[in-house]
Structure formats: structure tokens, C-alpha cells
Amino acid sequence: PIDATELLAECRAVLRKRPPRSQRHFVDLRASAAGSHRPIRVMQWNILAQALGEGKDNFVQCPMEALKWEERKCLILEEILAYKPDILCLQEVDHYFDTFEPLLSRLGYQCTFFPKPWSPCLDVEQNNGPDGCALFFLKDRFELVNSANIRLTAMKLKTNQVAIAQTLKCCETGRLFCIAVTHLKARTGWERFRSAQGCDLLQNLKNITQGAKIPLIICGDFNAEPTEEVYREFSNSSLNLNSAYKLLSPDGQSEPPYTTWKIRPSGECRHTLDYIWYSQHALNVNSALGLLTEEQIGPNRLPSFNYPSDHLSLVCDFSFNQDPDRLL
């Protein structure tokens, strides 16, 4: 085992010449007094595959020096260690075996990785293997009941996108819940394809959760704005899902204005693509981490010397509803 405080100190020593991390604050969303049990902190983050950041993504305002892995990995770890998630869901992980699995397993996490069948990272010279989704949970808080690696289909064809779904038992409450992580197909023009992938994932999750008998949390980079069909499918699913980050808006009905913000040769891209969905009949969102402001992000956008990815991390604290039999 390693001590999280010591690892954080090591990361900060490596980053001493970079500007400090921007501070973000949790927004309390509890409707009533907190229950007696510790909340479950879930973190969702597309961390930006190293091979893509350096070799394919063309972040025209980001200096190559800011993307050096030895420092960028410390920025990623610093963000994770700062928020201490009980469950961590990552996309675009291409340094799983040499960085995340060895370090996070020693911090007490059980680790699972599912690479894309044909990762674009493999097209980049001196790559570190395929990227994929990774799921980590603290072994002292949860027990693994069931795990499924899902290769998503669209129009009955197997696709290059994947998901991991794990049923966990909370050691403190004895309650079961399912946590899933996914990363849907990118780019404009693929909306129907994403919609088909979303339908396939929902069908898989209906089977795993016995039609929502087991509460569900889904983290992902959906590569889809809230106006897309795949977003509506999740909103209107029989699994009774809500998007946690909507709760930060004044009326609780609007997604944040952005979860990714970058500048490519084609221009500035500011989109809401990342979500944490949850079973609203069984789970409460106690708090959510506020996003970086435009001023904190800075004029050159993301990634940068003080933020390692083009996507912002999302972090929520969940608690179980006190009435386990209530379904609506």
C-alpha cells in the first residue's frame, strides 16, 4: 500500500514549475438532512489518451510541453487524489498497465480495464497500447458481486465502443447498486450510431439491474449534446434515470453550458458531452462539484499547463434513499 498524501506530495513536487490547480467547490444539493451513512463519491472523467493528445487531437493553443506524460500524469493523479472518489470512471485510458492500475491498486482500489477493439491510439508512433474505459472502486467500501465487459452494438453490428458494468455491494449498508462506464462514438454525423449504441447499453443495463430493481449509476463521455436522440433515450428510459449535473442549474432542468472546451484547427469547440446518470427513485445526489469557469479555463482553453485534459472531471456524492422499497 502507498499513502495518498505522500503520492500527492510527489505529484506536486513534479509540478512545482506549473501554475497551481484551479479551485473548484462542491455545491450542496440535499433536499433534507443527510442520512447516517457516508455518501458514495463518484468521479467521471475523460482524461485524454496520451497518444491522441500528442499525436492526433491538434490542440493548436496548447504547447506540446504541457502534454509531456511525466508531468501530465501527475496533473491527472493530483485531480483524482484531491477529490478522493470511492468510485472512479475514466475514458481514454492508454496508460492503464504502467500508471493507473499499479498506483490505484496500491491506494486500495479494485481496477478493471476494457480497451477499444481498434483504438485510434495504435495509429500513433510510439503509442502505449490501446485506449479504453477503466473502472476503479475502493475495496474497503464495496464488494464486487458481478462484472460485465460490454462491446456495444449498433444496428446489430459490433462497434469499436465499449462499456464496463459492475454490480457492487456497499459494505456499510448492504445495499446493491450497479456502476457503469462508457464512451460513445465521437464526431458530427454519427448521431444515429450513438443513439443505437445508447439503446444497446440501456438494454444491457436493464438485464443487469433486473429492470431497475438494482439502483444504477452510469458515467460516460457520450459525445452527444443534450439535444441529441441518445440523451433523450437515457432521459426517457424505463430505468428512471436523471442526469446529476442538471441539478446545478437554477431550475434543475438544464445541463451545464460545457464539459469540454478546446481549440482545434477548425476553431473553438465548447460542448456538453459528459454525464453522470443515476436512478432517481433509489438514489439522492447530495452534492456535485462545480465546473471550472471560463476565466479559470483561460483564453487558450483545454488542455493546458494547469489542466491535463480537454474534458472536465465530474464528481457527485450519492446516498441511498431511506425507503428501499419505494420505486417511484
Side-chain angles (χ1 to χ4, degrees):
I2 51 177
D3 182 76
T5 316
E6 285 175 26
L7 182 58
L8 188 55
E10 275 185 44
C11 288
R12 287 185 172 151
V14 172
L15 298 168
R16 64 190 179 279
K17 292 182 180 167
R18 292 200 179 208
R21 277 178 75 251
S22 297
Q23 292 305 301
R24 298 164 66 186
H25 302 286
F26 281 91
V27 179
D28 192 330
L29 298 168
R30 287 173 298 191
S32 56
S36 54
H37 299 295
R38 266 192 307 165
I40 296 167
R41 177 163 289 181
V42 176
M43 184 173 190
Q44 147 60 29
W45 199 13
N46 177 335
I47 60 171
L48 174 61
Q50 183 63 21
L52 301 184
E54 285 189 304
K56 278 199 158 192
D57 274 345
N58 289 323
F59 301 118
V60 290
Q61 300 284 56
C62 179
M64 283 306 285
E65 198 187 336
L67 295 170
K68 284 196 309 194
W69 178 242
E70 285 312 306
E71 292 184 12
R72 199 172 80 85
K73 77 175 179 189
C74 289
L75 270 181
I76 295 169
L77 289 166
E78 186 185 33
E79 181 92 345
I80 294 165
L81 292 164
Y83 299 120
K84 304 187 186 84
D86 300 305
I87 299 169
L88 173 62
C89 294
L90 302 179
Q91 297 87 30
E92 288 200 25
V93 179
D94 64 346
H95 275 269
Y96 177 81
F97 294 105
D98 63 2
T99 301
F100 295 104
E101 194 275 337
L103 285 172
L104 291 168
S105 63
R106 291 170 70 196
L107 287 167
Y109 290 90
Q110 182 151 328
C111 313
T112 307
F113 176 62
F114 192 25
K116 290 175 186 161
W118 317 293
S119 166
C121 293
L122 300 177
D123 299 336
V124 178
E125 272 186 54
Q126 297 178 308
N127 66 74
N128 200 60
D131 77 301
C133 292
L135 203 165
F136 308 85
F137 66 83
L138 285 177
K139 290 187 286 189
D140 66 353
R141 288 214 66 188
F142 311 106
E143 179 189 325
L144 181 63
V145 176
N146 181 27
S147 185
N149 285 358
I150 302 162
R151 186 170 166 192
L152 298 174
T153 64
M155 298 82 166
K156 299 191 177 167
L157 298 172
K158 289 189 183 305
T159 73
N160 195 32
Q161 280 64 45
V162 299
I164 304 167
Q166 296 190 331
T167 305
L168 305 181
K169 183 179 179 182
C170 178
C171 298
E172 200 178 345
T173 62
R175 299 279 295 269
L176 290 179
F177 67 101
C178 175
I179 177 82
V181 55
T182 195
H183 188 186
L184 301 187
K185 173 75 183 152
R187 299 206 169 71
T188 308
W190 292 84
E191 293 81 5
R192 286 186 62 200
F193 195 83
R194 278 192 286 278
S195 171
Q197 289 183 325
C199 285
D200 183 49
L201 179 57
L202 285 168
Q203 190 53 55
N204 274 282
L205 293 173
K206 278 173 196 170
N207 296 338
I208 289 167
T209 61
Q210 299 158 31
K213 282 202 180 81
I214 299 169
L216 176 62
I217 299 169
I218 309 159
C219 293
D221 173 357
F222 279 61
N223 275 307
E225 289 272 9
T227 50
E228 264 195 45
E229 191 180 337
V230 68
Y231 182 92
R232 290 194 293 277
E233 281 158 6
F234 273 72
S235 294
N236 301 327
S237 159
S238 62
L239 293 170
N240 195 21
L241 301 169
N242 194 17
S243 171
Y245 263 71
K246 281 192 346 192
L247 303 178
L248 286 179
S249 66
D251 61 357
Q253 298 300 311
S254 312
E255 291 290 350
Y258 51 84
T259 62
T260 177
W261 201 342
K262 54 205 153 206
I263 301 173
R264 285 194 164 133
S266 56
E268 199 157 336
C269 312
R270 191 185 92 143
H271 299 291
T272 301
L273 306 177
D274 307 88
Y275 306 96
I276 301 179
W277 297 92
Y278 69 100
S279 301
Q280 56 189 340
H281 59 273
L283 296 163
N284 299 313
V285 183
N286 294 6
S287 62
L289 183 65
L291 299 169
L292 290 175
T293 62
E294 180 175 358
E295 189 180 15
Q296 286 175 314
I297 288 170
N300 295 333
R301 309 313 184 204
L302 305 173
S304 64
F305 277 110
N306 60 342
Y307 201 80
S309 176
D310 55 326
H311 289 253
L312 297 173
S313 63
L314 308 182
V315 187
C316 289
D317 289 337
F318 289 98
S319 59
F320 290 103
N321 274 350
Q322 295 310 302
D323 181 1
D325 299 321
R326 194 173 125 238
L327 283 173
L328 292 170

